Amino acid sequence: MIIKQISVFLENISGRLAEVTRILADNKINLRALTIADTADFGILRIIAVKPDEAVRILTQAGFMAKETDVLAVEVEDKPGALAAVLDIFSKNSINIEYMYASLERSADKAVIVIKVEDVERGIKVVEANGLKPISAF
Amino acid sequence: MIWNPEAECMPPYARKRLQLANLKNLVEKVYDKVPFYRRKFEELGITPRDIHNLEDMAKLPFTTKDDLRETYPYGLLAVPEAEIEEIHMSSGTTGIPVVDAYTRKDIEIWGEGMARTLSMAGGRRNDIVQNAYGYGLFTGGMGAHYGAKTIGANVIPMSAGNTQKQIQVMKDFGSTMLTCTPSYALFLGEAIHEAGHNIREFRLRAGCFGAEPWSENMRKEIELKLNIKAYDIYGLTEITGPGVSSECEMQNGLHINEDLFYPEIIDPVTGQVLAEGEKGELVFTTLTKEGTPLIRYRTRDITCLFSESCPCGRTTIKMHRLFGRTDDMLIIRGVNVFPSQVEQVLIAIEGTDPHYQIILTRGESHLDEMEIMVEVQEKFFTDETRGLEVLRAKIETEIRSKLGVHAKIKLVEPKTIERSIGKAKRVIDKRVI
């Protein structure tokens, strides 16, 4: 179950992030998770949203550089040790995690971890083999 | 003091006679020895016999920077290669350098020109010259070095940079003269104050500054901060390096060593020779050079010439402090940079027509800072910062290695660099000089 993450290039200019979220809001695209990887001069905004194809199209039209990237998402219990258990699986199978971030699920006792690995298909297989279920949307 | 009163204070009519004799020799030499000039003369239907007086100079062909590029590396040599004792070069528009190849006599002439320059700034045998021009292919370092040696001074070959060491040496050894770019002089002056030194305890007395444009305001600031008299000097690799012209103690125009380097001012569009006082492109003919003599070399520097009886006693013609350039060349920390060089680096890396903008500033440090904004192309954009960081570092390294100057690279969003009528504004020069 691959999830399409939207990556947006952002210059470090004040208000730029607000513009992205405003455009998505105006187009009624709900955001599920969000993180920014930043350097001194620029950042890359990573978003999980409903209707990712549409979101990319809208952002591109608005002049942003936006791309879709395949990631996987795993639902875990919202309790100590849950994340560590998931990461152990990747570690044991020598799968390098390029980056990851977390979001809370609607139901309060769950958390969703978004994970980027080089080979998403393999990542999904390994997760499934260990009894966890990659989710397709959240 | 006047280093060479015979040459520098010669009555103008006598100098003209000498210039003409040297011009005739030069024209014969390049006609015989340099196929490039033979061809140019033939194209114009002239021979050395057509030169009867100095006004006939106008019949001679121009030499351009492109000519130097096309004849790289040895095409303009007028002597056997074995006669060459030193090579210097500066960067050209396409990365092909402009070469100056010196014979032993050329080095002597260079030293003579710079000896006159240092003497105009009061330099003499007992001076300690702290030479903070870069040593290397750049002519600044060796030029000032040879000049200092010619006048018998003690020269400390500091080269550029390493400011703390510069200050320490200046203090401990009691340097009396400083040679470097004007912006570095200012930087050094401030660093001395910041380090808590009292400049009045230093022995520094004068400085010869050139290789980049500066202003009267900058001069005042340098003179105040370093407690010295600051002299404007001029030169270019193609002609010899520094030592072509410089200010005397009157600080009113630069005396051209016209017995060595014959100046003309031309209309850069028509090529017509302009009268004294008229602003135009400065052109030099190297009257006595052996290795790579040049006929009517177009410097692309804009200035005007004026003769006046200078109270210093020198009779040589003067040129005004530079007004600007006829081309898009930028001088950044003394290094010649063309926007097209930046473009080539970006094309080599990105593979397509790049959108970029060069921003030049002279900040708190008074040193030139170059920032290049580069629009990120879609193919380089991924969800990871690493890829773009690598791209940024690669551009920075390539700029450094191809242009010889450091630039801060800033990756910006597509279509954010201003485009004016289809053509982007490539350079924003915010430097206040």
Side-chain angles (χ1 to χ4, degrees):
Chain A
M1 249 60 67
I2 289 171
I3 286 189
K4 299 277 183 200
Q5 167 193 272
I6 305 154
S7 308
V8 189
F9 179 80
L10 288 183
E11 262 176 71
N12 278 0
I13 302 172
S14 63
R16 206 66 181 132
L17 175 58
E19 277 180 60
V20 174
T21 51
R22 170 52 50 202
I23 289 164
L24 294 176
D26 289 347
N27 287 277
K28 307 219 170 343
I29 292 175
N30 193 23
L31 308 183
R32 302 293 303 139
L34 176 153
T35 181
I36 295 179
D38 70 321
T39 70
D41 290 324
F42 64 88
I44 294 175
L45 171 66
R46 296 160 183 157
I47 307 170
I48 305 292
V50 294
K51 298 184 279 185
D53 295 348
E54 201 184 325
V56 166
R57 189 177 52 77
I58 289 163
L59 287 172
T60 307
Q61 267 173 10
F64 285 92
M65 181 141 32
K67 266 186 183 171
E68 283 176 76
T69 313
D70 292 345
V71 294
L72 65 94
V74 188
E75 200 175 54
V76 297
E77 296 292 319
D78 186 10
K79 66 173 191 196
L83 176 59
V86 175
L87 296 187
D88 277 348
I89 299 169
F90 285 92
S91 164
K92 279 185 189 127
N93 288 279
S94 305
I95 295 178
N96 192 26
I97 294 177
E98 291 177 7
Y99 56 82
M100 55 155 288
Y101 48 101
S103 172
L104 286 179
E105 243 303 28
R106 283 210 180 91
S107 50
D109 56 345
K110 299 275 186 192
V112 174
I113 309 160
V114 178
I115 301 169
K116 167 73 192 294
V117 293
E118 199 182 343
D119 185 345
V120 181
E121 301 280 359
R122 181 161 171 250
I124 288 172
K125 276 191 193 115
V126 166
V127 168
E128 281 171 342
N130 283 274
L132 285 169
K133 197 169 176 299
I135 55 174
S136 56
F138 62 98
Chain B
M1 83 165 253
I2 297 174
W3 174 251
N4 187 340
E6 200 193 326
E8 295 175 81
C9 307
M10 190 182 275
Y13 73 89
R15 183 179 292 116
K16 283 198 163 53
R17 218 160 46 207
L18 180 71
Q19 285 170 326
L20 181 61
N22 280 330
L23 176 66
K24 285 181 169 177
N25 281 340
L26 170 75
V27 166
E28 261 168 43
K29 187 167 64 183
V30 298
Y31 189 75
D32 282 347
K33 309 271 201 253
V34 187
F36 165 83
Y37 277 120
R38 165 72 70 120
R39 206 173 53 244
K40 281 220 167 191
F41 278 46
E42 281 169 356
E43 278 165 19
L44 292 170
I46 55 166
T47 71
R49 282 190 300 279
D50 292 311
I51 304 302
H52 306 288
N53 50 52
L54 285 174
E55 285 66 45
D56 289 335
M57 181 82 90
K59 295 177 183 169
L60 295 172
F62 289 115
T63 309
T64 65
K65 206 168 189 126
D66 284 342
D67 292 331
L68 300 195
R69 247 170 40 203
E70 280 156 26
T71 53
Y72 174 89
Y74 273 139
L76 289 180
L77 225 55
V79 295
E81 259 182 62
E83 298 292 310
I84 298 303
E85 298 198 346
E86 196 165 314
I87 298 278
H88 284 272
M89 50 187 102
S90 68
S91 58
T93 43
T94 59
I96 300 175
V98 163
V99 180
D100 196 347
Y102 305 72
T103 64
R104 180 163 301 183
K105 189 183 151 221
D106 291 335
I107 297 282
E108 279 169 21
I109 291 172
W110 195 9
E112 162 76 20
M114 271 309 284
R116 294 183 194 176
T117 290
L118 292 170
S119 299
M120 284 191 218
R124 52 184 73 217
R125 229 188 134 263
N126 54 5
D127 269 301
I128 300 169
V129 179
Q130 182 158 340
N131 186 15
Y133 276 117
Y135 280 70
L137 290 176
F138 174 52
T139 50
M142 293 308 287
H145 190 96
Y146 289 139
K149 286 189 71 103
T150 305
I151 64 170
N154 174 4
V155 55
I156 309 180
M158 293 300 294
S159 201
N162 206 349
T163 305
Q164 290 316 312
K165 189 97 182 170
Q166 300 271 7
I167 296 172
Q168 191 190 339
V169 166
M170 191 179 282
K171 192 164 193 280
D172 296 349
F173 290 85
S175 308
T176 55
M177 295 184 82
L178 175 66
T179 50
C180 61
T181 59
S183 53
Y184 190 65
L186 199 49
F187 181 77
L188 206 50
E190 293 197 336
I192 288 171
H193 287 275
E194 274 163 27
H197 297 295
N198 178 0
I199 192 66
R200 303 203 174 269
E201 288 164 11
F202 286 57
R203 289 180 60 208
L204 205 63
R205 170 171 68 66
C208 294
F209 308 120
E212 67 185 17
W214 53 313
S215 63
E216 281 306 315
N217 274 342
M218 241 175 116
R219 181 192 331 252
K220 281 192 198 107
E221 236 183 301
I222 292 171
E223 293 192 331
L224 188 74
K225 293 220 160 88
L226 285 172
N227 191 30
I228 59 172
K229 206 159 169 179
Y231 296 86
D232 190 12
I233 73 170
Y234 173 85
L236 61 167
T237 308
E238 299 90 314
I239 299 305
T240 192
V244 175
S245 68
S246 48
E247 284 180 334
C248 64
E249 67 266 27
M250 306 315 296
Q251 294 181 317
N252 172 32
L254 292 81
H255 286 279
I256 298 174
N257 291 318
E258 58 170 320
D259 53 322
L260 308 172
F261 316 109
Y262 187 87
E264 295 171 276
I265 294 289
I266 61 158
D267 179 323
V269 179
T270 64
Q272 287 296 313
V273 177
L274 300 179
E276 267 190 33
E278 285 189 75
K279 240 191 248 185
E281 181 177 353
L282 181 61
V283 169
F284 278 111
T285 298
T286 62
L287 293 175
T288 54
K289 207 164 146 182
E290 292 184 334
T292 46
L294 297 179
I295 304 276
R296 305 189 85 199
Y297 180 69
R298 297 184 59 160
T299 65
R300 304 188 188 188
D301 286 322
I302 305 281
T303 184
C304 62
L305 299 176
F306 57 102
S307 322
E308 58 168 25
S309 62
C310 188
C312 77
R314 290 175 185 84
T315 55
T316 42
I317 198 164
K318 286 180 176 182
M319 59 182 259
H320 194 279
R321 180 191 277 282
L322 295 187
F323 294 111
R325 301 268 311 164
T326 63
D327 59 15
D328 60 352
M329 187 177 91
L330 305 166
I331 302 180
I332 299 166
R333 296 196 185 193
V335 180
N336 300 349
V337 170
F338 292 87
S340 57
Q341 288 176 295
V342 172
E343 197 159 315
Q344 278 154 14
V345 167
L346 294 176
I347 289 173
I349 293 173
E350 303 200 316
T352 49
D353 204 16
H355 287 291
Y356 67 94
Q357 194 165 54
I358 299 169
I359 297 169
L360 298 172
T361 50
R362 208 169 261 181
E364 287 292 297
S365 65
H366 297 290
L367 291 177
D368 296 339
E369 304 289 346
M370 173 161 68
E371 182 174 60
I372 305 173
M373 309 226 283
V374 183
E375 283 186 9
V376 172
Q377 293 181 29
E378 189 148 10
K379 64 175 169 180
F380 290 105
F381 175 62
T382 67
D383 56 319
E384 288 185 72
T385 53
R386 203 183 318 149
L388 292 176
E389 280 291 329
V390 167
L391 175 70
R392 202 189 58 74
K394 192 168 166 194
I395 296 173
E396 205 164 280
T397 310
E398 279 298 294
I399 293 281
R400 167 99 233 174
S401 102
K402 295 275 160 49
L403 278 66
V405 286
H406 171 77
K408 184 177 183 297
I409 308 298
K410 187 175 164 68
L411 299 178
V412 300
E413 290 176 29
K415 302 190 181 64
T416 50
I417 290 172
E418 178 197 344
R419 287 155 174 77
S420 48
I421 326 167
K423 201 179 164 197
K425 197 165 164 36
R426 293 304 190 201
V427 180
I428 296 181
D429 198 337
K430 294 181 182 167
R431 291 178 292 187
V432 179
I433 57 168

